[in-house]
Amino acid sequence: AKLATERREADHAHAARLWNAALAELGPGWTISGSVDQRYHGNLNIRREGVDATRLVSDLRDIAFSLGSACASGSGRPSHVLRAIGLSDREARASIRLGFGRYTGEEELVAAVRRIDAAARAQQGLAA
């Protein structure tokens, strides 16, 4: 708790830099779930129309990201949180979640996001 208190401002600034770096790499076609402003920027939930999120996770097993939201992990059901913010079942099932913070480096995040975007585009038959 002491470390969290001492590092609060630096951690939030770092998460904001990572958030901005991730968004800059995603490119067009991705939709952010939830508010862009009223949120903690260490959690990014996104979706892309026509992408099979389960296949995306399977294709990129060496990248730590997940389906939907933490509250629905492993259940096989669409997240009730994503449904509560207005997503359809299809949209909720197409969502992926990236979490990052104090120990996440910008270079590793950018590289991961590039690979996620390329794999999603490949699923859609688009040039990566």
Side-chain angles (χ1 to χ4, degrees):
K2 181 181 178 195
L3 181 60
T5 299
E6 291 170 353
R7 298 259 334 185
R8 183 175 189 267
E9 288 183 35
D11 285 348
H12 278 266
H14 181 65
R17 279 190 303 277
L18 294 173
W19 166 275
N20 289 328
L23 293 182
E25 286 303 318
L26 280 174
W30 291 95
T31 302
I32 299 170
S33 300
S35 172
V36 173
D37 300 315
Q38 300 298 310
R39 71 182 309 139
Y40 172 61
H41 285 146
N43 177 300
L44 178 59
N45 190 293
I46 54 176
R47 66 189 185 282
R48 187 177 180 115
E49 183 68 32
V51 168
D52 180 344
T54 302
R55 181 176 153 202
L56 200 59
V57 170
S58 180
D59 289 347
L60 299 167
R61 292 177 190 258
D62 61 324
I63 298 176
F65 69 107
S66 59
L67 299 175
S69 66
C71 58
S73 291
S75 73
R77 296 185 319 265
S79 162
H80 69 276
V81 172
L82 294 177
R83 298 278 293 126
I85 64 169
L87 273 64
S88 68
D89 281 352
R90 191 182 91 221
E91 291 170 328
R93 288 182 196 274
S95 297
I96 61 170
R97 179 174 42 94
L98 303 170
F100 36 84
R102 179 182 302 155
Y103 303 110
T104 308
E106 186 172 339
E107 286 182 21
E108 70 182 333
L109 176 63
V110 166
V113 169
R114 283 182 183 150
R115 288 186 54 213
I116 291 168
D117 184 56
R121 292 173 56 81
Q123 271 192 32
Q124 296 176 302
L126 303 173

